[in-house]
């Protein structure tokens, strides 16, 4: 793979840090959409199903990813959702026309079940409230239902439904993508800013311990991007803790060189939104910093055409089932590097989504399960990207593609573990044909030596995993005796540990 070899100079200094990484940077998302819930996490007839109908094989694979928080129940779905429909006696729950995805929602799974599933998956819930067809009243009632021990109606309703103890949900989204005209009850920035402000007040009066995420733009190319954020934050700045970013990346034109630079766009997006937050902070002469929740991000483009053929008003139709290849895994790893390098402002991020729907995990309803290519870079960073992000200086060559110039061939992030005993470097090589030798300088980490180099690489960028061939594209350990070499178009994790003196 690649006869030519270039060099990159990597400098890491113990005294130059980005931020302690919030564990929620490795969050994910499950929406009532397609087969994410029904046939994904929940399938009572499956041979691995537990006492509540949750698939055990899916649960074990999610535990391997070590996902600390999962956004729920949407997404576009939430803007038309009545949360009460998913509580209490299952035999009395209504089937509804779900307008966002033109499907039938059975309501077999709601917050009652999902919060228990999340506990079993060793995760917390990031709950979204409906600010489309509903508003502040229903949101504060849901907070009471989930979090309060008071002798009051909705806390009592939870107890009558069999849950004596509160669910303790601490992170909440104030609606979803309310700037999009596809959204149920789309709003202008001012309309949304007002309802977000008043809803936030009621929710925090109900439970002062919660944190709230206001809706930012649905993606960076929205015509109102920037002004939307300013207007919304001017209305609700003092009542929210984060503003959301959503963006998906793809290669519909098969321009791989440009696609491998997707993280450059993500980095710019993050920095623009952070600057707007600080602009409004200065306007208001506030002591409070609003941080970022990148609570929808992923690769998404493979399934767009096939979804147009799916018949409406089915239960759990196979929507958004992208099949990911090697180049997708490299790009996703690069996006994770970018999130780590912006962890001073991005405190929450949610890979959208977790099972079947643009997901790292795929299942057959009634059958098998396998990991897609993107499973592995997410697993690597989630497992070894906890601790403090360090500044990384990377000197390397650049290229031009997709109208962008000076794109670095190598992108890296470095994380020192909580106990200080392990330093992990994540790296991508964006070059299509050249390997790269890393020249590493670890200032303050003398005595740390490489103990593991694992990589996702290969000649076939379009190679995928399937139920029949689930291990076609997987990480492989590399020989480090002659130095650290990054293959062309590859994802890499290099682990350093301090050797005994």
């Amino acid at each position: 793979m690649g006869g030519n070899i270039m060099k990159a100079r990597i400098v890491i200094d113990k005294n130059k840090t980005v931020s302690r990484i919030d564990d929620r940077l490795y969050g994910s998302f499950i929406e009532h959409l397609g087969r994410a819930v029904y046939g994904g996490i929940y399938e009572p007839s499956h041979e691995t199903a537990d006492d509540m109908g949750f698939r055990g094989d899916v649960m074990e694979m999610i535990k391997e990813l070590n996902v600390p928080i999962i956004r729920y129940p949407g997404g576009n779905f939430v803007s038309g959702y009545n949360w009460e429909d998913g509580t209490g006696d299952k035999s009395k729950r209504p089937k509804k026309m779900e307008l966002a995805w033109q499907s039938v929602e059975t309501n077999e799974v709601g917050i009652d079940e999902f919060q228990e599933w999340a506990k079993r998956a060793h995760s917390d819930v990031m709950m979204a409230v409906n600010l489309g067809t509903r508003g502040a009243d229903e949101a504060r009632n849901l907070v009471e239902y989930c979090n309060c021990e008071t002798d009051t109606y909705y806390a009592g309703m939870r107890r009558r439904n069999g849950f004596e103890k509160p669910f303790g949900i601490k992170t909440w989204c104030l609606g979803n993508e309310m700037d999009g005209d596809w959204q149920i009850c789309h709003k202008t920035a001012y309309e949304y800013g007002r309802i977000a402000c008043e809803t936030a007040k009621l929710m925090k009066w109900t439970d002062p311990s919660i944190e709230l995420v206001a809706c930012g733009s649905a993606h960076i190319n929205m015509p109102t991007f920037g002004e939307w954020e300013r207007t919304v934050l001017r209305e609700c700045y003092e009542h929210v803790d984060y503003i959301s970013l959503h963006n998906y990346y793809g290669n519909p034109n098969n321009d791989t060189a440009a696609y491998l630079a997707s993280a450059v766009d993500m980095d710019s997006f993050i920095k623009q939104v952070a600057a707007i937050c600080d602009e409004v902070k200065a306007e208001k002469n506030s002591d409070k910093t609003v941080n970022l929740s990148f609570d929808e991000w992923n690769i998404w483009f493979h399934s767009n055409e096939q979804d147009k053929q799916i018949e409406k008003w089915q239960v759990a139709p196979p929507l958004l089932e992208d099949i990911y290849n090697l180049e997708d895994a490299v790009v996703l790893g690069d996006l994770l590097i970018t999130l780590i390098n912006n962890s001073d402002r991005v405190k929450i991020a949610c890979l959208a989504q977790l099972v079947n729907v643009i997901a790292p995990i795929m299942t057959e309803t009634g059958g098998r399960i396998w990991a897609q290519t993107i499973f592995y870079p997410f697993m690597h960073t989630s497992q070894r990207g906890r601790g403090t992000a360090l500044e990384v200086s990377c000197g390397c060559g650049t290229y031009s593609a997709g109208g962008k110039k000076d794109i670095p061939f190598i992108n890296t992030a470095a994380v020192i573990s909580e106990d200080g005993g392990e330093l992990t470097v994540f790296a991508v090589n964006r070059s299509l044909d050249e390997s790269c030798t890393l020249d590493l300088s670890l200032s303050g980490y003398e005595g740390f030596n490489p103990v593991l180099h694992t990589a996702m690489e290969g000649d076939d960028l379009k190679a995928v995993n399937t139920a029949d061939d689930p291990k076609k594209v997987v990480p492989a350990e590399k020989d480090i005796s002659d130095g650290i070499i990054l293959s062309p178009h590859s994802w890499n994790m290099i682990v350093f540990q301090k050797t005994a003196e």
Side-chain angles (χ1 to χ4, degrees):
M1 289 181 297
N4 299 323
I5 296 183
M6 56 179 169
K7 291 185 178 180
R9 169 75 170 165
I10 307 294
V11 178
I12 298 168
D13 187 332
K14 186 175 186 177
N15 296 317
K16 294 181 179 179
T17 63
V18 177
S19 175
R20 187 196 173 279
I21 297 168
D22 192 313
D23 287 351
R24 294 174 297 176
L25 196 73
Y26 305 110
S28 192
F29 181 25
I30 289 178
E31 182 172 1
H32 283 249
L33 157 59
R35 296 191 309 120
V37 176
Y38 308 113
I41 66 168
Y42 178 81
E43 192 179 347
S45 61
H46 196 269
E47 63 182 6
T48 68
D50 65 14
D51 61 309
M52 290 186 71
F54 295 121
R55 280 184 63 154
D57 56 352
V58 174
M59 182 80 73
E60 288 310 305
M61 197 170 277
I62 289 170
K63 286 179 183 176
E64 194 175 353
L65 288 178
N66 193 17
V67 182
I69 195 165
I70 300 173
R71 185 166 168 246
Y72 176 85
N76 296 349
F77 171 84
V78 79
S79 293
Y81 181 54
N82 297 341
W83 66 265
E84 302 92 335
D85 292 346
T87 62
D89 187 342
K90 282 195 180 189
S91 68
K92 296 179 181 178
R93 295 185 189 180
K95 284 187 178 181
K96 292 283 187 76
M97 291 177 73
E98 201 289 287
L99 300 181
W101 300 107
Q102 305 283 286
S103 304
V104 173
E105 174 54 51
T106 66
N107 284 304
E108 292 172 73
V109 172
I111 189 56
D112 284 0
E113 291 76 26
F114 190 78
Q115 59 82 30
E116 176 58 29
W117 175 85
K119 287 186 176 73
R120 296 182 183 192
H122 304 155
S123 187
D124 293 329
V125 179
M126 180 181 184
M127 190 73 186
V129 300
N130 176 357
L131 292 187
T133 60
R134 306 187 102 184
D137 193 39
E138 293 86 0
R140 62 91 174 254
N141 293 341
L142 177 56
V143 174
E144 181 188 325
Y145 183 87
C146 291
N147 287 3
C148 293
E149 296 188 81
T150 50
D151 183 15
T152 49
Y153 181 82
Y154 288 98
M157 177 178 163
R158 183 196 68 243
R159 295 187 193 97
R160 291 191 297 276
N161 289 339
F163 303 95
E164 183 62 33
K165 291 186 178 180
F167 302 155
I169 298 172
K170 296 304 180 186
T171 312
W172 295 74
C173 299
L174 294 165
N176 174 74
E177 294 183 0
M178 299 309 298
D179 59 328
D181 59 7
W182 61 86
Q183 203 68 210
I184 296 171
C185 296
H186 153 71
K187 291 174 171 58
T188 67
Y190 179 74
E191 288 169 338
Y192 171 71
R194 289 302 311 134
I195 194 173
C197 175
E198 297 307 317
T199 302
K201 284 160 58 177
L202 268 63
M203 290 173 73
K204 286 195 171 182
W205 289 347
T206 305
D207 180 356
S209 71
I210 62 176
E211 290 190 313
L212 300 176
V213 182
C215 286
S217 296
H219 55 78
I220 194 171
N221 295 317
M222 292 295 289
T224 53
F225 169 63
E227 198 50 44
W228 172 276
E229 281 77 4
R230 287 184 187 89
T231 302
V232 167
L233 287 171
R234 283 168 181 154
E235 294 303 321
C236 65
Y237 191 91
E238 292 300 340
H239 301 285
V240 302
D241 305 283
Y242 309 93
I243 192 162
S244 72
L245 294 80
H246 291 183
N247 218 57
Y248 295 93
Y249 303 87
N251 189 18
N253 301 318
N254 201 28
D255 183 349
T256 299
Y259 181 42
L260 290 172
S262 295
V264 175
D265 295 329
M266 178 191 253
D267 185 68
S268 174
F269 186 21
I270 289 168
K271 287 178 168 57
Q272 287 179 68
V273 177
I276 293 168
C277 290
D278 293 344
E279 177 187 327
V280 177
K281 176 182 180 178
E283 275 182 24
K284 292 183 171 290
N285 194 26
S286 175
D287 294 329
K288 173 182 178 176
T289 297
V290 169
N291 282 313
L292 311 184
S293 175
F294 212 130
D295 48 43
E296 281 192 36
W297 71 275
N298 203 343
I299 313 301
W300 176 16
F301 72 102
H302 296 285
S303 63
N304 291 349
E305 289 303 313
Q306 68 195 44
D307 282 0
K308 295 175 183 177
Q309 313 302 318
I310 293 176
E311 185 180 340
K312 296 179 181 179
W313 310 119
Q314 298 182 64
V315 175
L319 292 169
L320 278 60
E321 299 200 358
D322 279 33
I323 303 302
Y324 294 113
N325 57 34
L326 173 58
E327 71 178 8
D328 296 326
V330 176
V331 171
L332 187 115
D334 203 6
L335 297 171
L336 283 157
I337 285 171
T338 302
L339 291 171
I340 291 169
N341 286 335
N342 286 281
S343 57
D344 56 331
R345 294 308 295 266
V346 181
K347 300 301 180 182
I348 304 167
C350 300
L351 179 72
Q353 296 189 17
L354 191 50
V355 184
N356 288 330
V357 174
I358 48 173
I361 298 168
M362 293 298 293
T363 73
E364 294 173 331
T365 299
R368 296 171 290 181
I369 184 172
W370 66 100
Q372 295 227 64
T373 61
I374 64 171
F375 180 94
Y376 298 103
F378 188 89
M379 178 186 73
H380 290 153
T381 52
S382 180
Q383 289 183 352
R384 282 196 146 108
R386 312 288 178 107
T388 297
L390 302 168
E391 288 185 15
V392 181
S393 170
C394 179
C396 63
T398 63
Y399 71 103
S400 300
K404 289 192 279 291
K405 296 180 179 179
D406 301 320
I407 303 163
F409 279 118
I410 308 301
N411 194 27
T412 58
V415 179
I416 186 70
S417 62
E418 294 281 13
D419 64 7
E422 188 170 274
L423 174 66
T424 303
V425 174
F426 304 104
V428 292
N429 182 357
R430 294 168 174 153
S431 174
L432 292 175
D433 50 23
E434 287 191 68
S435 295
C436 181
T437 300
L438 290 192
D439 176 14
L440 284 141
S441 170
L442 306 179
S443 177
Y445 293 106
E446 290 74 16
F448 278 71
N449 291 297
V451 295
L452 173 68
H453 177 189
T454 186
M456 294 189 74
E457 57 188 27
D459 293 325
D460 184 3
L461 279 166
K462 307 301 182 183
V464 303
N465 294 333
T466 65
D468 292 328
D469 193 359
K471 300 294 184 182
K472 185 176 179 65
V473 187
V474 296
E477 283 195 33
K478 301 195 69 175
D479 183 10
I480 52 178
S481 60
D482 293 325
I484 297 164
I485 300 174
L486 312 182
S487 297
H489 50 77
S490 64
W491 158 257
N492 302 265
M493 178 180 71
I494 305 107
V495 179
F496 298 79
Q497 290 177 350
K498 191 171 178 63
T499 54
E501 294 180 1

